[in-house]
Amino acid sequence: MKRFLTVGDIGNLSDALAEAKQVKQTPFAWQELGRNKTIILVFFNSSLRTRLSSQRAAQNLGMNTIVLNINEDSWKLETELGVIMDGDKTEHLREAIPVIGSYADIIGVRSFARFESRTFDYEETILQQFIEYSGCPVISLESATRHPCQAFADLITIEEYKRVARPKVVLSWAPHPKALPQAVPNSFAEWMKVADVNFVITCPEGYDLAPDIMAGARLERDQKKAFEGADFIYAKNWSSYTEYGKILSKDRSWTVDQEHMSWTNNAKFMHCLPVRRGMIVSDEVIDGPNSIVIPEAANRVVSAQVVMKRMLEGLR
Ligand code: AN0
Ligand code: CP
């Protein structure tokens, strides 16, 4: 495996789930695989889960980890090509990436959508440069348009908690005070469309995801109808794709509370975290017996470890 960005990079999902189960049961069985290998985790944005779970996954595989927080620990990096660097940026990505690559065997990159240009974000301008110029396998730790480590962990969690062979899984938009990327819902939708689930998206007008993400997914505008018979509610805020990066609604009638959950088939509640209580979800729901947000976050170690294991196997 040379890159991990989209669902296509993982191949067959049943095989990936079987491997995840094995990794979860015997996390230290591949300690030799990572011996004398180094992963560098590059963060352009904040993180709790991704940073810690990636580091833990690498450690389970016997790898060394170096974390670099761009803008805090390193020089400020220029990302635009063809500019005269007379501002506050000291170094260009074109040098920084191959330098990082020369110290690493695998690179993980977190670089969120910037909302300055939809084209810049959706062309994955930053991540693609890491793929092209680092000479290393590259893991997306949430890029401008995808968060595959999260979606894989979500799939593992659904597999563990499902009570029927083909559960109904609902991705529900929920309100938030700040403009958030579409990466998490994009990846979740992309993975659920391939998984063996009955997948439904519900969101207000103006919040449809990119056309290729919506294609093949069922959209139910009425949140109550969408929730009926659901086995899993996956709440998430995202900003508008069409009016790119804009907040069009903060309607708290979309906040997932106990009444919303009463419409479901005793559904489990999921969220990638970090979550804003009272905006995305009520305290009652997230603290209730059907909330699986903590085991979901715990599975981030498992998804990261499967990806790193496959990359290490590809290095041999
Ligand atoms: C980010 C997002 O919505 O993409 C990270 C989620 C994993 N969330 C925030 O910035 C709050
Ligand atoms: N879910 C997730 O990626 O969390 P962090 O932003 O804390 O890494």
Side-chain angles (χ1 to χ4, degrees):
M1 188 187 250
K2 290 274 179 248
R3 68 183 67 174
F4 186 56
L5 170 60
T6 71
V7 69
D9 298 325
I10 198 83
N12 181 285
L13 287 189
S14 309
D15 293 348
L17 283 170
E19 199 170 331
K21 200 168 173 183
Q22 219 185 353
V23 160
K24 193 161 180 170
Q25 276 164 1
T26 57
F28 307 119
W30 297 273
Q31 285 256 315
E32 276 305 303
L33 195 58
R35 210 167 119 88
N36 296 331
K37 296 282 188 279
T38 296
I39 185 164
I40 298 187
L41 304 172
V42 181
F43 286 90
F44 287 85
N45 315 94
S46 310
S47 170
L48 188 153
R49 278 143 292 276
T50 304
R51 179 173 170 151
L52 297 180
S53 63
S54 301
Q55 213 160 339
R56 179 61 204 257
Q59 192 174 313
N60 288 353
L61 290 165
M63 260 194 287
N64 302 309
T65 308
I66 301 171
V67 179
L68 180 68
N69 298 307
I70 303 282
N71 300 335
E72 286 171 41
D73 302 344
S74 80
W75 301 109
K76 278 202 165 66
L77 297 184
E78 178 59 64
T79 56
E80 300 282 338
L81 281 169
V83 293
I84 294 171
M85 292 172 58
D86 61 352
D88 64 337
K89 309 277 173 61
T90 314
E91 179 161 22
H92 203 285
L93 265 190
R94 283 292 282 108
E95 286 77 52
I97 293 173
V99 169
I100 294 168
S102 76
Y103 307 146
D105 298 287
I106 299 175
I107 295 180
V109 189
R110 164 161 286 199
S111 175
F112 286 179
R114 297 176 175 186
F115 297 131
E116 287 161 14
S117 145
R118 190 167 85 181
T119 310
F120 182 91
D121 288 345
Y122 271 73
E123 284 178 352
E124 290 290 4
T125 312
I126 305 286
L127 188 77
Q128 287 305 334
Q129 292 186 67
F130 275 88
I131 289 169
E132 200 168 336
Y133 304 125
S134 70
C136 291
V138 173
I139 304 175
S140 160
L141 303 177
E142 186 170 336
S143 67
T145 71
R146 297 289 192 282
H147 195 358
C149 293
Q150 182 65 50
F152 186 15
D154 296 334
L155 176 69
I156 294 166
T157 310
I158 288 169
E159 182 69 16
E160 287 175 350
Y161 283 86
K162 71 182 187 187
R163 294 158 303 192
V164 290
R166 197 164 183 279
K168 179 175 179 182
V169 178
V170 179
L171 167 63
S172 179
W173 180 91
H176 192 274
K178 291 192 170 159
L180 295 186
Q182 293 123 24
V184 170
N186 281 349
S187 277
F188 188 71
E190 189 179 66
W191 286 65
M192 287 303 118
K193 288 195 293 180
V194 182
D196 194 13
V197 301
N198 171 10
F199 180 56
V200 178
I201 300 177
T202 184
C203 60
E205 297 275 357
Y207 279 102
D208 292 8
L209 296 162
D212 63 316
I213 300 288
M214 295 307 289
R218 188 145 66 85
L219 171 67
E220 173 52 69
R221 198 65 77 197
D222 182 332
Q223 194 188 21
K224 185 172 185 198
K225 275 196 197 141
F227 275 44
E228 277 164 13
D231 299 294
F232 293 90
I233 298 299
Y234 192 95
K236 182 72 182 88
N237 173 266
W238 60 89
S239 60
S240 177
Y241 173 80
T242 42
E243 292 189 52
Y244 191 61
K246 288 218 169 79
I247 298 172
L248 307 177
S249 167
K250 291 182 187 173
D251 180 358
R252 295 217 336 264
S253 74
W254 284 78
T255 303
V256 179
D257 62 12
Q258 210 54 263
E259 191 197 338
H260 286 69
M261 294 304 282
S262 76
W263 303 331
T264 71
N265 180 27
N266 197 25
K268 300 292 184 204
F269 176 82
M270 299 178 74
H271 189 279
C272 64
L273 307 181
V275 73
R276 295 213 184 207
R277 287 168 177 249
M279 290 297 297
I280 303 283
V281 60
S282 69
D283 288 342
E284 255 186 329
V285 169
I286 196 164
D287 294 332
N290 284 13
S291 170
I292 55 172
V293 297
I294 305 304
E296 178 185 0
N299 278 333
R300 290 293 305 278
V301 175
V302 184
S303 65
Q305 194 173 336
V306 171
V307 171
M308 290 176 197
K309 172 177 169 286
R310 287 186 178 190
M311 286 184 170
L312 286 170
E313 285 162 351
L315 292 179
R316 288 192 300 197

